[in-house]
Amino acid sequence: MAAERDQPRGIFVTGTGTEVGKTVVAAAIARTLAGEGMRVAVFKPAVTGLDEGVETDYELLRRAAGSTQSDEEIAPYRYGPPASPHLAAALAGEEIDPERLRRAAGAAAASAEAVVCEGVGGLLVPLSPGYLLRDFAADLGYPLVVVAGPGLGTINHTLLTVEAARAAGLEVAAVVLNPWPQEPTEIERSNRETIAALADVPILTLPQLDLANPASWPPLRV
Ligand SMILES: Nc1ncnc2c1ncn2[C@@H]1O[C@H](COP(=O)(O)OP(=O)(O)OP(=O)(O)O)[C@@H](O)[C@H]1O
Ligand SMILES: [Mg+2]
């Protein structure tokens, strides 16, 4: 029976850095797949900053996907301080184990028809001193979605991220500019066209969402 199952459809959401909207974009993708009737699992290799007391990445991802996964099943490493995962782990007296991450991500994928994985920070963030987020993305092998801001500075940040992905043999399925304003400026519209041309990648946009109400979100198909 298991051998006849299709490989789960996977997507890996990374970004040009922290706080660019990876969780929101991953949640919108997960919500879209779930809305199409798929059983969706979500995954995030490590979460830091739990001390800050806002809705965690794994809570929003779980809510958007309609998943019943536990905190542990979504994010096997969870830390209080808002630090890079390699440092947050060290402060807790441990080291993130790549093999444990691969097993946990594999279990999430095996439980669903589609899996949406959110990265941590950007592609070159260390999960452990010798294992970068990009290494984990390569281990999973899912196509990447790169989340970037729409405004000044985004051309350079986005092209650097796309180049770093491709240098490791990773496929970039799309760039998502987020949050995309209702009335984009000349600069924002130009950024969209310039990144599309220079990175040779499809550019999608996601508007400001009412995060409390996933039913109101527009679909995001990658
Ligand atoms: N399209 C959007 N609609 C509504 N809120 C948004 C949107 N994009 C980002 N935000 C808000 O901006 C903040 C950063 O977004 P988000 O948490 O998704 O970033 P991130 O890249 O996942 O950050 P981290 O690196 O901490 O994981 C959050 O408060 C989020 O609610
Ligand atoms: Mg996030």
Side-chain angles (χ1 to χ4, degrees):
M1 183 71 185
E4 289 168 18
R5 238 170 124 258
D6 287 338
Q7 277 288 101
R9 177 170 169 208
I11 200 86
F12 193 99
V13 179
T14 185
T16 55
T18 193
E19 290 288 302
V20 293
K22 292 182 301 295
T23 304
V24 173
V25 166
I29 294 170
R31 162 80 200 165
T32 302
L33 294 169
E36 290 168 352
M38 289 188 117
R39 194 151 35 88
V40 181
V42 287
F43 193 77
K44 168 132 183 159
V47 176
T48 66
L50 295 181
D51 289 348
E52 295 179 339
V54 291
E55 184 179 44
T56 65
D57 286 6
Y58 51 82
E59 285 162 342
L60 177 56
L61 293 172
R62 177 167 49 214
R63 189 157 64 78
S67 162
T68 56
Q69 295 166 275
S70 67
D71 299 354
E72 171 77 20
E73 286 167 336
I74 299 174
Y77 291 98
R78 303 176 305 285
Y79 300 109
S84 169
H86 79 292
L87 175 59
L91 293 172
E94 57 185 39
E95 194 169 290
I96 290 175
D97 173 11
E99 186 50 38
R100 181 175 159 201
L101 282 185
R102 288 188 287 262
R103 270 202 313 273
S111 73
E113 295 163 304
V115 58
V116 180
C117 177
E118 181 192 345
V120 190
L123 273 184
L124 300 189
V125 163
L127 287 165
S128 73
Y131 188 70
L132 306 181
L133 206 282
R134 182 172 67 173
D135 299 320
F136 177 62
D139 282 343
L140 293 191
Y142 299 144
L144 297 189
V145 168
V146 174
V147 183
L152 191 62
T154 201
I155 296 174
N156 180 56
H157 288 146
T158 307
L159 296 180
L160 284 171
T161 298
V162 170
E163 191 167 304
R166 290 179 176 157
L170 299 173
E171 178 198 344
V172 180
V175 166
V176 179
L177 297 179
N178 172 78
W180 188 250
Q182 273 187 326
E183 292 181 16
T185 63
E186 185 89 38
I187 290 177
E188 289 159 341
R189 280 187 277 119
S190 170
N191 285 343
R192 180 170 64 179
E193 286 161 22
T194 305
I195 294 167
L198 291 177
D200 191 21
V201 69
I203 313 286
L204 306 174
T205 59
L206 189 69
Q208 190 75 25
L209 303 178
D210 173 7
L211 296 181
N213 183 16
S216 69
W217 301 354
L220 183 59
R221 292 191 180 85
V222 294

